[in-house]
Amino acid sequence: MTSELDDLAAAVRSVIDRRWSPAALRAAIEAPTGYDADLWSVLCEQVGIAALAVPEEHDGVGAGVRALQVVAEELGRHLIPSPFLGSAVLTTTLLAETGEAELLAGLASGERIGAVAFAGEDFADRPITAAGGALTGTARFVLDGDLADDLIVVAGEELYLVDSGAAGRRPTPSMDPTRRFAEVVVDGAPARRIGDGAGAALQRALDRACAVLAAEQAGAAAQALAITVDYAGSRVQFGRPIGSFQALKHRMADLFVLVESARSAALAAGEALDRGDAGAPLAVATAKTYCSEAFSAVAAEMIQLHGGIGITWEHDAHLYFKRAHSSSQLFGDPAHHLSRRELTHS
């Protein structure tokens, strides 16, 4: 962590500490947009998180992946729903490849939200096709797809800007209420081609998004462990805090190792991408696989170690558990990324 990254983390944390709470999380989940628009505005205006991945020549910060990871880690700690991952990371990174100045300027301010439609029921599927300039197909699990002002569609090796008002868009409920997905149908929707080489550009953007998601998973896992340790120190059984029992100490020590290893894997992926290392895709696949499994393990133990209260609707444990499992599937499950590791090694 450089001093600049420390300052960025502190700035994001300061806003969250002032404006966020478990009640705010539940209010955001129930909001029509699925996130706290006021908090998003403050983070964009005061901290500039939506502009981090936008190149400087397009009114952005031109920051690297590590800066994006710092923000994601802080947002992940509190499961904060926001357009950050889908708009400020994935869409912005993909558009930066095309140099679409007008679109990037709107995303940099946070006033507009972008979404990328590219996958089908299976993450590896690319269901949208283009023939004679007309798009056909249905993309699923599009992050913030029903809210997006700028809808980017990947069709083969081409990128298209689609009229979001003309596309069919339907929210897709999932087990994780803190993440918003949509189904997007583009049959006959007006579209404008904006880039070439979409396959390679999409993979580069997904690598960055996976590295940022891994940092978010590490942050959420760290907070889940912190909540569990705090509970174990205050819950008394047999006349003493349950955290003093050796068996529980061992379990929480194992969780601490998982959390720290996950964070190391995530940051290593971010560093590799920022340096442009040839092995960066391998580092990303490693981080996404390990962080997915670590967060799922910590969230499951969080529920177990809280006892009866851990399975109640009012406690946050189930929200961490659901975020862990939805995040493990987002942008490819661990099996997908393990296969990428094998291909990279071969």
Side-chain angles (χ1 to χ4, degrees):
M1 293 285 283
T2 65
S3 60
E4 290 83 1
L5 293 178
D6 283 333
D7 290 343
L8 176 59
V12 174
R13 197 178 307 122
S14 175
V15 173
I16 293 172
D17 289 345
R18 292 197 314 268
R19 304 181 64 96
W20 200 248
S21 67
L25 173 58
R26 283 159 173 76
I29 290 172
E30 296 298 327
T33 58
Y35 70 95
D36 186 331
D38 290 337
L39 176 64
W40 173 248
S41 295
V42 171
L43 286 169
C44 292
E45 293 170 6
Q46 296 185 10
V47 186
I49 66 171
L52 289 173
V54 178
E56 292 182 80
E57 59 268 28
H58 299 306
D59 299 323
V61 178
V65 177
R66 283 289 295 110
L68 297 168
Q69 288 183 317
V70 164
V71 175
E73 191 172 354
E74 297 301 327
L75 296 178
R77 290 183 193 279
H78 303 281
L79 306 182
I80 296 177
S82 80
F84 180 71
L85 184 62
S87 181
V89 179
L90 179 59
T91 307
T92 299
T93 302
L94 185 58
L95 283 175
E97 302 273 345
T98 71
E100 289 286 327
E102 183 178 350
L103 295 177
L104 286 169
L107 296 178
S109 68
E111 295 176 359
R112 297 181 67 83
I113 294 173
V116 182
F118 63 94
E121 285 285 356
D122 187 280
F123 174 75
D125 290 343
R126 299 292 179 262
I128 298 176
T129 59
L135 301 181
T136 303
T138 299
R140 304 186 188 278
F141 309 112
V142 181
L143 279 173
D144 305 311
D146 59 320
L147 304 175
D149 303 292
D150 299 314
L151 180 60
I152 310 303
V153 171
V154 178
E157 290 298 314
E158 300 171 342
L159 290 178
Y160 290 87
L161 175 65
V162 175
D163 184 340
S164 57
R169 302 189 292 174
R170 182 178 64 85
T172 304
S174 73
M175 69 175 293
D176 178 11
T178 68
R179 191 89 76 186
R180 193 176 184 96
F181 299 100
E183 176 184 274
V184 175
V185 182
V186 295
D187 296 343
R192 174 171 66 89
R193 184 174 170 180
I194 60 173
D196 296 312
L202 177 63
Q203 188 55 62
R204 289 192 294 271
L206 283 173
D207 277 347
R208 284 159 177 75
C210 282
V212 174
L213 176 57
E216 179 195 281
Q217 291 171 306
Q223 184 68 11
L225 177 57
I227 293 171
T228 303
V229 170
D230 183 67
Y231 176 77
S234 60
R235 175 72 168 91
V236 175
Q237 189 70 27
F238 305 113
R240 55 192 288 195
I242 62 173
S244 66
F245 297 129
Q246 189 175 41
L248 295 191
K249 287 181 178 180
H250 287 171
R251 289 175 70 174
M252 285 184 280
D254 289 340
L255 296 180
F256 179 76
V257 172
L258 280 179
V259 167
E260 290 300 301
S261 299
R263 188 166 189 266
S264 295
L267 301 192
E271 292 281 3
L273 287 168
D274 283 342
R275 290 193 303 263
D277 289 355
L282 176 60
V284 169
T286 300
K288 182 59 170 65
T289 301
Y290 191 87
C291 291
S292 294
E293 295 180 345
F295 185 18
S296 294
V298 172
E301 285 288 271
M302 179 187 194
I303 292 175
Q304 287 287 326
L305 293 174
H306 272 81
I309 195 175
I311 60 171
T312 61
W313 188 257
E314 293 74 18
H315 199 276
D316 286 348
H318 72 97
L319 295 175
Y320 281 90
F321 184 82
K322 292 170 181 175
R323 172 66 77 88
H325 284 275
S326 74
S327 296
S328 73
Q329 302 300 307
L330 185 58
F331 304 145
D333 61 14
H336 169 82
H337 289 283
L338 282 173
S339 68
R340 288 189 67 199
R341 281 174 50 89
E342 292 169 2
L343 288 173
T344 303
H345 277 305
S346 61

